[in-house]
Amino acid sequence: MKLHYTEEMLTELREKIRPYLKAKRYQHTLAVEKEAARLGEIYLPDDVNRLRAAALLHDITKKLDLSEHLQICSEFDIIVGRFPEKEMKLFHSKTAPAVIERDFEGYFDEEILSGVRWHTTGRDSMTVFECIVYLADYIEETRTFGDCIELRNYFYSMLESENADKDEVLRLTMVRSFDMTIKNLIEEDSLIDMDTVSARNYFVLGNNPVLE
Ligand SMILES: [Fe+2]
């Protein structure tokens, strides 16, 4: 049975996450909540508050350092890749679900956990819920990075065009986002997570996000 997240619960959660985040990250998180609500109204109107909860929790381990991430990984049997120091950006989405389980009673909800788990890399056969958390993080209104602005405009201009097919708009936006991410990773000489490649290929092949 799905839990229902009330407005009061979200208000309380907004305060509870505050010590987990640096000030700038907290502002970003609130903006992701807002964007997730906006996207939720379009794609998953019955799940808007659950999406908002996932957005509030998505970055709660972002300020931890490598040794703290590794500590959580060993405590919770989370598999660490071969080059942990090169994968710092990926750790927070692996360790956040463990911290939700440990510290946030009532939010150990399968969809919230998978939304948080896959918000950085994406994965093969992503759900609509996972896509919304991922995309809200990418295009929320305080993002000033060029690609974020471009993706936000790409998504909303297609969506607002006449006869827009909202599922196709989401699929194309996911493809574009992974293309941007992969190009940036190549330019930075960074590793590309295989889940990102799988996610990109899934959407390039014409598949829509899975509706659970
Ligand atoms: Fe984020």
Side-chain angles (χ1 to χ4, degrees):
M1 196 191 79
K2 283 188 178 188
L3 285 169
H4 180 63
Y5 297 97
T6 62
E7 208 58 50
E8 292 69 40
M9 289 167 84
L10 293 172
T11 303
E12 204 178 289
L13 182 60
R14 226 173 277 124
E15 286 315 306
K16 198 171 172 195
I17 60 165
R18 202 189 277 268
Y20 290 78
L21 300 158
K22 292 182 180 166
K24 198 173 167 215
R25 181 69 44 189
Y26 187 68
Q27 292 311 317
H28 157 72
T29 294
L30 298 184
V32 178
E33 182 199 2
K34 207 166 142 191
E35 188 64 48
R38 201 176 288 149
L39 297 172
E41 293 292 351
I42 304 166
Y43 291 101
L44 284 180
D46 292 339
D47 262 334
V48 171
N49 281 9
R50 174 173 285 100
L51 284 161
R52 289 167 69 196
L56 289 171
L57 291 162
H58 85 284
D59 269 348
I60 46 163
T61 58
K62 189 88 177 187
K63 77 173 181 187
L64 303 185
D65 63 25
L66 182 59
S67 68
E68 291 168 314
H69 282 299
L70 291 174
Q71 174 62 33
I72 294 173
C73 289
S74 87
E75 228 173 276
F76 286 85
D77 292 323
I78 297 165
I79 296 168
V80 177
R82 285 168 66 198
F83 309 102
E85 64 292 340
K86 285 201 177 287
E87 294 170 43
M88 262 311 281
K89 279 188 196 164
L90 305 181
F91 269 110
H92 75 288
S93 51
K94 289 186 179 178
T95 50
V99 170
I100 294 170
E101 178 181 0
R102 191 188 68 193
D103 299 352
F104 293 85
E105 211 197 331
Y107 292 90
F108 196 65
D109 167 306
E110 219 172 288
E111 281 184 309
I112 292 179
L113 296 176
S114 80
V116 171
R117 173 64 186 87
W118 302 108
H119 86 268
T120 309
T121 58
R123 65 159 165 172
D124 191 15
S125 309
M126 286 177 84
T127 64
V128 179
F129 192 101
E130 289 162 2
C131 288
I132 292 177
V133 178
Y134 167 92
L135 195 58
D137 185 34
Y138 215 122
I139 66 171
E140 57 87 351
E141 64 191 10
T142 72
R143 291 279 204 200
T144 53
F145 183 58
D147 282 355
C148 301
I149 296 169
E150 194 186 319
L151 196 69
R152 188 192 305 139
N153 293 339
Y154 179 76
F155 173 75
Y156 280 109
S157 65
M158 276 198 296
L159 195 68
E160 283 152 18
S161 67
E162 221 179 306
N163 302 323
D165 172 347
K166 65 177 183 163
D167 295 324
E168 185 62 358
V169 170
L170 182 57
R171 185 186 74 77
L172 290 171
T173 305
M174 295 304 288
V175 172
R176 181 85 157 235
S177 77
F178 292 116
D179 286 355
M180 286 170 157
T181 298
I182 291 169
K183 278 183 199 159
N184 289 332
L185 290 170
I186 291 169
E187 270 165 30
E188 291 166 9
D189 259 338
S190 294
L191 298 179
I192 300 171
D193 193 280
M194 292 311 287
D195 287 315
T196 302
V197 177
S198 301
R200 191 245 177 205
N201 290 348
Y202 175 78
F203 291 113
V204 162
L205 287 169
N207 299 301
N208 287 322
V210 176
L211 193 59
E212 284 199 322

